[in-house]
Amino acid sequence: MKKVEAIIKPFKLDEVKESLSEIGVHGMTVTEVKGFGRTGGKKEVYRGSAYVVDFVPKVKLEIIVPDDTVRQVVSVITEAARTGRIGDGKIFVSPMDEVIRIRTGETGEDAI
């Protein structure tokens, strides 16, 4: 199993969720986060004064998937979240040693 974490623009969340649902991914955790990448935030003007927004609002998705569906999930997120502009986000994939469903005690892929 793998954990797929995606940092995306907030307005792309519904599109990503719908695309993942179409391929059979129905469970995920969504967190509102703030951060910045290479650009270091963005400059904005308010009432004639320029200022820098250091942390840009984003959404973090966390999804646990079987090994054989990781590439498909990454591809779907990439396509659905892409705008072609700076700040589209990142996807991280890491190994998941164990998953346990608290209610039933199921483990491994059965618990996903």
Side-chain angles (χ1 to χ4, degrees):
M1 295 174 293
K2 302 284 189 214
K3 180 178 185 179
V4 178
E5 292 180 76
I7 310 293
I8 63 171
K9 292 182 175 186
F11 68 88
K12 286 299 215 169
L13 178 59
D14 287 336
E15 189 176 337
V16 170
K17 182 181 152 227
E18 288 172 14
S19 297
L20 287 169
S21 182
E22 289 173 8
I23 64 165
V25 175
H26 300 292
M28 69 179 71
T29 301
V30 178
T31 311
E32 292 180 9
V33 296
K34 292 182 180 182
F36 64 89
R38 290 184 190 164
T39 58
K42 60 183 179 180
K43 293 175 179 62
E44 294 192 6
V45 177
Y46 179 72
R47 294 187 178 182
S49 298
Y51 66 98
V52 176
V53 177
D54 290 334
F55 294 102
V56 180
K58 300 285 183 175
V59 173
K60 179 167 88 168
L61 309 175
E62 296 175 274
I63 309 161
I64 309 302
V65 297
D67 289 334
D68 59 343
T69 62
V70 171
R71 291 293 150 221
Q72 184 182 19
V73 167
V74 168
S75 176
V76 164
I77 294 170
T78 301
E79 289 303 313
R82 179 180 290 137
T83 67
R85 295 189 302 265
I86 291 173
D88 275 350
K90 298 260 190 310
I91 299 174
F92 307 96
V93 179
S94 54
M96 181 59 46
D97 293 333
E98 188 65 73
V99 176
I100 299 114
R101 185 185 311 269
I102 294 172
R103 180 177 55 86
T104 62
E106 293 171 295
T107 61
E109 288 187 18
D110 292 335
I112 299 176

